[in-house]
Structures are given as C-alpha cells and as structure tokens.
C-alpha cells in the first residue's frame, strides 16, 4: 500500500499545462505539455467539459494522449492540464461483492463503498529469488482439473479455446466452487449483455459474495480495457498482501492484447507479427508475472485466451503459453458432443502438478491419460468395427473404461467436486483398470 507522502504526490495537481494541436484517429496531440508516459491529463473541452486522457508517448515536440472517454467536442487549442503523474486505487474488504469499472469505481448501482486503503495501480512482480515455492494444491471444484491437471496455490494457468465452448461457464464454476478465500474477476472486452448474464447465471449471488468483478466492455476505449486488467491484478495484490489466497480470473487476455495493439498502433509503433506491435509482447509478461506466490499470500491466476480460428499457434496463444505454468485446452469437438466441461486432457498440462500431488495420484492420472490416448489413436478402427477385441490389451482396457472415464471428466455446472472426491475417484479408475480381464468381465 502507498504511504501518505506517496498518495499526496500522486493526487496533488500541478501547474503543467499545454494545448491541443491535432487529433489523429483515437489519439490527441498536445504541445507545451512534457508530461511523463502513463500520466493522467484532463482536456478542457468547450462548455467546461473535462475529458480524461492518458499519456502514451511523444512525437517530435508533441505529447500523444489517449482519451479515456468519448473525444467528441475536442478541438484545436483546447487546454490540457496534468492531473497526476502516478495512479493508485481505493481498496479494502468492502470491495467484496461489488462490480467496478476499469478505474475502480463502483458501477453496480449501489452506493460507493468507503475505502480507506490505497494500492498502487502498477507494481513490480515479486522478486524471483524471494518467491516461495508452490507446494500446496488449490481446489477449483472442477473434477477434471483437480484430478488430472492439479493446480497449485500461486500457479498461473491459461484456458485456451475458441468462442462458444464454455470458457465463461468454466470461470463461473471456479468462482463458486474454488477453495480460494477471495475471487477477483476481470471481464475485459465482453459484450454488455454477457456481463449481466455472467453475474446472474455463471457467478450467481453465492460466487459474487466473495468476489470483486472489474468490467470493461467492448465499446469502451482500448486504454480502459488494458487498465481493467491491471486494476483487477492490483486488487488481487491487495488481498494477497493481507495473507489471503486469491483466485484471479481474467476473461480474456486476448482482448487485453488486442486493446494494447490499438494503443501501440495509434502511438506509431510498427506492426510486426499479424499486426501486433512490440509493446503487446512486452506488456503481457509484465501483467502475468504480477500473479503468483508471495511471502504473505498467493494469487492463483487463470487467463482466458481466445484462440483465433482454432489455431493454438497463433501469436498471442503461442506467446502466452510460454509465459504461464500450464494450460487448459477446451475442445470444440468435445463441446459439440455435449461433453462439458469440454477439457481436452491430452492437450492440457499443469507444470506444477508433480510438486503438489503424491506418487499414487500421479500414476493414476498417467494411467487415465494413457487410456485416453489409446482410445483416440484407435477411434476410427473401433467405430467402423475393424478392431478385433483381444488384439491389444491396452486398447481393450481403453474401450472397457471409456464410459467410466467419460463420467469422471464430465460435470454439471451446478455441482461442485471436492478435491478428495476427485482424487479418490481417480484412484478407483486406476484400480478398476488394473483388474484382471476375466475378473472385470465377471
């Protein structure tokens, strides 16, 4: 948290001011205004209306501003004044159960909470040499994840999927069923209709009670969409510093990258891979590295990643996969079969699972993976009747266990799975698969 001197430095206005010279696309240029990058300015439009904007760069003698609202009414000669050079957020336990905008203001229609504490908007990640090891599991309430992709407290995971395969439902299940003490949810670039549906249907009153939801819809300026992800992360850091285990859910990291692309191109950056400027690939690790295990508490983060054209190797997916500690792949094929959650276990991975589970658990998970892989490899032969039972013992076992494994991996959205249940059922699957074939038949 910020001390008093830092708070005063951040909020006291200065006499620095300039004038608008031109607008290009979504940016405004001002002269005589040498404010630092990241500073917040106010543009005084005609009739005294103020438009907040953020400094994103410089070009020759001009300072480039990105408006945080509708820029209509801005004209050449409008006065620009520096509001503050650094940013902070009002935070406190009173945020639980509230819906906020990208700047931390309540937007749920109820009175603003009285918040005494302040937290910095941008923070450096915990020092890598002082991060405690991830050595305890975090229950998500989703059996397929807790059993086969076990997550640790402080782990960062990606949920990779195309549109329409159940990402929001999966996040809602985690928010309701997770063992984390506090849930912070960032809904970035969502349609306005989907925000209301997520709050009422997927999250529900039970999940909202211990959650803080930060919203920036698709119609808001790109800068606010980027800031919303940082706001959600800063709020999660505040609760982590109170010694709590926090679950951070961001939907979606791809839309954060798209918003950063808009800002970078508007600032004059050259486009590189598929039109993404370098600042996108510099901003992503700065954001995700802020999550993780700390000395007092932890932030376990799940980032939704929209996969363009079902291509797991498109630029954002490929970059994010290398930054995280594992990934959950949602399959459109499984979703079309009514298999929910549509987690493709064979394409998913938790890099910390070996350190938060025992040997017996890992062997059972490996057995299920082997049977799933065998079933997939011989699926065509089995479906057309070309495979003869008795030819391969592993294939026979995969066929016999197919229904039991399917029941284990599927789960209704309203029924949580306990961690012990997920492990015990997994061990039972292994014991059943290892029975002699004649005993299985009997």
């Amino acid at each position: 948290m910020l001390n008093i001197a830092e708070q005063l430095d951040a909020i006291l206005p200065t006499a620095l001011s300039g004038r608008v010279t031109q607008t290009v696309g979504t940016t405004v240029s001002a002269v005589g205004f040498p404010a630092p990058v990241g500073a917040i300015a106010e543009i005084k439009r005609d009739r005294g209306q103020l438009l907040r904007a953020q400094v994103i760069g410089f070009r020759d003698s001009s300072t480039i501003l990105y408006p945080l609202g509708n820029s209509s009414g801005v004209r050449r000669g409008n006065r620009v004044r520096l509001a503050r050079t650094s940013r902070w957020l009002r935070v406190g336990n009173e945020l639980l159960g509230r819906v906020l905008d990208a700047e931390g203001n309540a937007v749920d229609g109820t009175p603003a909470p009285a918040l005494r504490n302040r937290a910095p908007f941008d923070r450096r990640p915990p020092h890598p040499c002082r991060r405690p090891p991830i050595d305890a599991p975090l229950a998500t309430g989703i059996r397929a994840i807790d059993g086969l992709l076990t997550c640790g407290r402080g782990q960062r995971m990606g949920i990779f999927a195309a549109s329409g395969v159940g990402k929001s439902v999966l996040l809602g299940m985690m928010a309701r069923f997770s063992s984390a003490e506090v849930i912070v949810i960032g809904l970035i670039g969502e349609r306005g209709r989907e925000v209301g549906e997520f709050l009422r249907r997927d999250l529900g009153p039970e999940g909202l009670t211990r959650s803080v939801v930060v919203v920036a819809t698709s119609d808001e300026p790109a800068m606010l969409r980027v800031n919303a992800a940082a706001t959600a992360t800063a709020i999660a850091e505040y609760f982590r510093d109170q010694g709590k285990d926090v679950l951070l859910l961001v939907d979606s990291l791809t839309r954060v990258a798209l918003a950063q692309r808009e800002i970078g191109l508007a600032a004059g950056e050259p486009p590189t891979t598929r039109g993404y400027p370098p600042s996108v690939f510099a901003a992503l690790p700065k954001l995700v590295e802020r999550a993780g295990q700390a000395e007092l508490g932890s932030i376990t983060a799940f980032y939704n990643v929209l996969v363009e054209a079902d291509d797991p190797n498109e630029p954002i997916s490929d970059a994010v996969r290398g930054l995280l500690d594992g990934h959950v792949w949602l399959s459109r094929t499984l979703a079309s079969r009514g298999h929910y959650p549509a987690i493709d276990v064979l394409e998913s991975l938790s890099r910390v699972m070996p350190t938060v589970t025992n040997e017996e658990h890992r062997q059972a998970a490996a057995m299920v993976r082997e049977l799933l892989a065998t079933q997939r490899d011989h699926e065509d032969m089995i479906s057309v009747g070309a495979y003869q039972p008795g030819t391969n013992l592993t294939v026979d076992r995969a066929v016999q266990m197919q229904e039991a494994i399917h029941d284990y991996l599927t789960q209704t959205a309203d029924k949580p799975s306990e961690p012990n249940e997920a492990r015990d059922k997994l061990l039972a699957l292994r014991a059943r698969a290892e029975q002699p074939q004649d005993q299985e038949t009997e």
Side-chain angles (χ1 to χ4, degrees):
M1 292 183 292
L2 296 175
N3 59 40
I4 297 298
E6 291 172 328
Q7 292 183 37
L8 290 175
D9 181 65
I11 64 176
L12 288 178
T14 71
L16 183 63
S17 64
R19 295 287 178 181
V20 172
T21 57
Q22 66 174 350
T23 62
V24 178
T26 55
T27 63
V28 176
S29 297
V31 295
F33 188 67
V37 172
I40 300 298
E42 293 176 344
I43 302 173
K44 187 175 182 180
R45 294 176 285 189
D46 293 340
R47 300 180 182 176
Q49 296 177 336
L50 295 178
L51 173 63
R52 289 161 57 83
Q54 186 170 333
V55 178
I56 62 172
F58 310 95
R59 185 179 297 117
D60 298 327
S61 60
S62 298
T63 299
I64 304 173
L65 306 168
Y66 202 102
L68 301 179
N70 190 339
S71 59
S72 62
V74 175
R75 65 173 179 82
R76 183 191 300 272
N78 282 155
R79 183 171 177 266
V80 181
R81 184 185 70 88
L82 179 63
R84 62 175 184 259
T85 57
S86 60
R87 287 179 291 170
W88 45 265
L89 295 169
R90 296 181 177 90
V91 289
N93 292 334
E94 295 80 4
L95 289 178
L96 293 174
R98 305 305 301 267
V99 182
L100 312 176
D101 64 12
E103 297 186 296
N105 303 311
V107 293
D108 49 12
T110 57
L115 303 171
R116 298 181 180 180
N117 298 320
R118 301 291 185 270
F121 180 80
D122 294 310
R123 286 180 63 177
R124 293 186 59 83
H127 193 279
C129 296
R130 291 194 291 270
R131 285 183 185 258
I134 298 175
D135 54 7
L138 179 87
T140 64
I142 299 171
R143 188 164 48 245
I145 295 179
D146 292 341
L148 298 171
L149 304 166
T150 311
C151 296
R153 294 178 185 174
Q155 184 173 0
R156 298 165 306 189
M157 292 280 284
I159 300 177
F160 292 75
S163 58
V165 293
K167 296 186 300 300
S168 296
V169 175
L170 193 65
L171 291 186
M173 291 174 67
M174 289 183 187
R176 295 195 308 275
F177 305 149
S178 169
S179 62
E181 299 172 90
V182 175
I183 318 295
V184 180
I185 305 171
L187 301 179
I188 317 299
E190 292 282 359
R191 294 182 287 272
R193 174 187 61 82
E194 289 183 324
V195 172
E197 288 185 357
F198 177 84
L199 294 174
R200 292 187 298 268
R201 181 193 64 193
D202 298 328
L203 186 58
E206 177 188 357
L208 184 59
T209 301
R210 58 181 181 139
S211 300
V212 183
V213 183
V214 180
V215 177
T217 53
S218 58
D219 61 308
E220 297 188 48
M223 185 61 70
L224 289 180
R225 282 176 270 149
V226 171
N227 288 348
T231 296
T233 303
I235 293 173
E237 289 171 331
Y238 165 76
F239 285 105
R240 180 196 62 193
D241 292 344
Q242 310 307 306
K244 298 183 182 297
D245 293 318
V246 182
L247 179 63
L248 173 63
L249 307 174
V250 177
D251 184 13
S252 73
L253 198 59
T254 303
R255 294 194 179 107
V256 176
L258 291 172
Q260 183 61 48
R261 179 171 69 177
E262 290 183 39
I263 297 168
L265 294 177
E269 287 188 70
T272 54
T273 308
R274 294 199 187 181
Y276 288 99
S279 63
V280 173
F281 301 101
L284 290 176
K286 291 179 181 179
L287 179 66
V288 302
E289 280 291 332
R290 292 170 66 179
Q293 187 85 345
E295 296 177 359
L296 289 179
S298 67
I299 300 176
T300 306
F302 281 81
Y303 299 97
N304 268 357
V305 180
L306 292 171
V307 180
E308 182 181 345
D310 290 339
D311 178 12
N313 296 315
E314 58 93 18
I316 298 302
S317 299
D318 191 48
V320 172
R321 193 164 50 244
L323 297 173
L324 302 178
D325 304 317
H327 55 274
V328 177
W329 177 264
L330 300 187
S331 166
R332 188 182 296 278
T333 301
L334 291 177
S336 65
R337 295 175 181 174
H339 183 292
Y340 287 103
I343 299 173
D344 189 335
V345 173
L346 297 180
E347 297 295 333
S348 304
L349 173 70
S350 171
R351 292 191 174 96
V352 306
M353 181 176 177
T355 64
V356 297
T357 55
N358 57 34
E359 182 64 24
E360 188 180 28
H361 187 158
R362 293 193 293 272
Q363 289 179 358
M367 180 276 301
V368 171
R369 283 179 173 271
E370 180 184 9
L371 294 180
L372 285 171
T374 301
Q375 169 70 22
R376 179 175 297 183
D377 291 342
H378 296 80
E379 186 173 11
D380 292 339
M381 294 181 61
I382 295 171
S383 62
V384 300
Y387 174 76
Q388 296 297 320
T391 304
N392 185 304
L393 178 60
T394 305
V395 177
D396 293 343
R397 286 298 188 202
V399 174
Q400 293 168 3
M401 296 291 295
Q402 181 178 5
E403 184 175 351
I405 293 176
H406 176 270
D407 291 342
Y408 180 84
L409 296 178
T410 54
Q411 180 180 343
T412 57
D414 59 348
K415 186 176 180 181
S417 171
E418 297 295 330
N420 292 336
E421 174 199 0
R423 183 183 63 253
D424 293 344
K425 287 187 175 182
L426 187 64
L427 298 178
L429 285 177
R430 180 190 179 192
R432 178 178 171 183
E434 290 177 343
Q435 291 178 356
Q437 193 165 9
D438 54 351
Q439 183 176 343
E440 174 75 16
T441 303
E442 292 176 5

